[in-house]
C-alpha cells in the first residue's frame, strides 16, 4: 500500500492570495489525483497528474486556477490561486496502485 | 448522463440490525465498482471491490448488472461501523478516474 502525506494539514488564508499544497508518497506511482471535498459534500476530482505529462483537468476546473506540478514519481503540488471563500474546502491527494486508490489525510483550507 | 447515486444521505440503525447502503450507477460498459469508507478522524480507505467478491469486516456487495446496483450489506451492524460510506465506480478502466457518489452516513446506535 502507498502512504501519502500532505502539507499543510490546514491553513487559513485571505482572499486573493494563493496556497500551494504538497503531496508526498512513500513509493513511486504513475497515477496521482487531486480531489476537493467541500463542506458536507462528496469528493470531486479536480485533475489527474501523471508524471511526464501535463495534468488533465475535469470539467469546471482550469489550470490557471489550480496549477499542478508533478516533478517526479513521488511528489506533486496543487496551487489554489486567487482564492475566494468558495475555495474553502478539504483538498485530497490520491494515488493509484493497480486498481486500488489510496488517499492522503487532506488539507483543510479556509478562505476569509 | 453517467452518474452514481446513493439515495440515502443518512442511515441510522441499531446495533445487531441488518444494514443495506444503496448504490445505483448509470455507466456504459462494465465499470469496476468500489466501496470506500471514512471513519471519524481517519482518511478515506478502500472497503471492498466487486471484482474480488470478498467480505470485509462482515460487509459484502453484489453487483447486479440488470438493476445497475451495487448495494453494500451487512447482516449485523456494529457500533464501530459508524462512518461515511462512498460508492465509487472506476470510469474508464485501470487508467480511468474514480468517481464518488454523494455518500451515506451510517450511524449505528447501541
Amino acid at each position: 500500500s502507498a502512504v501519502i502525506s500532505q502539507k499543510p494539514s490546514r491553513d487559513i488564508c485571505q482572499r486573493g492570495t494563493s496556497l500551494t499544497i504538497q503531496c508526498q508518497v512513500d513509493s513511486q506511482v504513475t497515477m496521482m489525483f487531486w480531489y476537493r471535498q467541500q463542506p458536507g459534500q462528496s469528493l470531486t476530482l479536480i485533475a489527474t497528474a501523471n508524471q511526464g505529462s501535463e495534468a488533465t483537468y475535469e470539467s469546471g476546473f482550469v489550470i490557471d486556477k489550480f496549477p499542478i506540478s508533478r516533478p517526479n514519481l513521488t511528489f506533486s503540488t496543487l496551487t489554489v490561486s486567487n482564492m475566494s471563500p468558495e475555495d474553502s474546502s478539504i483538498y485530497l491527494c490520491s494515488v493509484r496502485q493497480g486498481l486500488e486508490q489510496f488517499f492522503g489525510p487532506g488539507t483543510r483550507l479556509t478562505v476569509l | 448522463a453517467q452518474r452514481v447515486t446513493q439515495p440515502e444521505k443518512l442511515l441510522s440503525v441499531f446495533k445487531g440490525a441488518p444494514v443495506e447502503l444503496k448504490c445505483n450507477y448509470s455507466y456504459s460498459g462494465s465499470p469496476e465498482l468500489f466501496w470506500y469508507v471514512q471513519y471519524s478522524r481517519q482518511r478515506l480507505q478502500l472497503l471492498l471491490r466487486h471484482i474480488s467478491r470478498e467480505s470485509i469486516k462482515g460487509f459484502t456487495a453484489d453487483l447486479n448488472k440488470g438493476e445497475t446496483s451495487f448495494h453494500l450489506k451487512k447482516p449485523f451492524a456494529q457500533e464501530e461501523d459508524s462512518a461515511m460510506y462512498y460508492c465509487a465506480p472506476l470510469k474508464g478502466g485501470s487508467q480511468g478516474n474514480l468517481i464518488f457518489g454523494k455518500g451515506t452516513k451510517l450511524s449505528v446506535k447501541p
Side-chain angles (χ1 to χ4, degrees):
Chain A
S1 64
V3 178
I4 304 169
S5 60
Q6 288 183 232
K7 287 182 183 179
S9 58
R10 59 177 62 223
D11 207 342
I12 300 173
C13 301
Q14 297 296 320
R15 70 170 66 212
T17 62
S18 297
L19 176 72
T20 295
I21 302 168
Q22 299 179 7
C23 175
Q24 181 74 51
V25 190
D26 69 342
S27 56
Q28 294 185 337
V29 291
T30 302
M31 301 188 76
M32 189 174 278
F33 308 87
W34 286 97
Y35 287 83
R36 181 173 75 181
Q37 187 172 27
Q38 292 179 304
Q41 304 295 318
S42 182
L43 283 81
T44 301
L45 180 63
I46 297 172
T48 302
N50 294 338
Q51 200 272 337
S53 61
E54 295 291 320
T56 303
Y57 290 82
E58 295 297 300
S59 176
F61 298 96
V62 295
I63 188 171
D64 289 347
K65 175 68 175 177
F66 297 101
I68 288 171
S69 78
R70 184 77 201 275
N72 57 52
L73 290 172
T74 64
F75 187 79
S76 177
T77 66
L78 170 75
T79 299
V80 186
S81 303
N82 188 24
M83 289 184 284
S84 66
E86 291 71 36
D87 294 320
S88 296
S89 194
I90 297 174
Y91 291 85
L92 293 149
C93 175
S94 177
V95 302
R96 185 168 314 147
Q97 291 183 325
L99 288 180
E100 185 166 351
Q101 203 151 320
F102 299 90
F103 290 83
T107 295
R108 184 180 293 272
L109 171 62
T110 301
V111 185
L112 303 178
Chain B
Q2 297 182 328
R3 63 168 63 96
V4 54
T5 304
Q6 292 182 250
E8 303 128 335
K9 196 170 184 177
L10 173 65
L11 185 63
S12 185
V13 301
F14 285 102
K15 175 183 174 181
V19 63
E20 180 179 66
L21 290 85
K22 292 184 169 56
C23 172
N24 289 90
Y25 65 94
S26 59
Y27 283 88
S28 58
S30 298
E32 303 291 347
L33 287 152
F34 301 83
W35 277 98
Y36 278 79
V37 60
Q38 188 166 29
Y39 301 100
S40 178
R41 297 190 182 87
Q42 294 187 28
R43 63 184 70 189
L44 194 63
Q45 59 187 283
L46 177 66
L47 179 62
L48 56 80
R49 67 202 85 176
H50 92 271
I51 54 173
S52 58
R53 298 182 180 278
E54 56 199 345
S55 173
I56 302 293
K57 299 183 179 182
F59 284 97
T60 58
D62 291 324
L63 176 61
N64 186 321
K65 291 187 178 181
E67 296 179 359
T68 59
S69 68
F70 188 52
H71 303 329
L72 183 68
K73 301 176 184 179
K74 185 170 183 176
F76 308 102
Q78 302 300 314
E79 289 181 68
E80 55 265 30
D81 295 328
S82 296
M84 197 72 184
Y85 291 81
Y86 295 95
C87 181
L90 182 60
K91 186 181 78 169
S94 61
Q95 301 301 309
N97 297 327
L98 200 63
I99 305 299
F100 287 84
K102 291 189 181 296
T104 297
K105 184 174 183 179
L106 174 64
S107 175
V108 182
K109 299 177 180 178

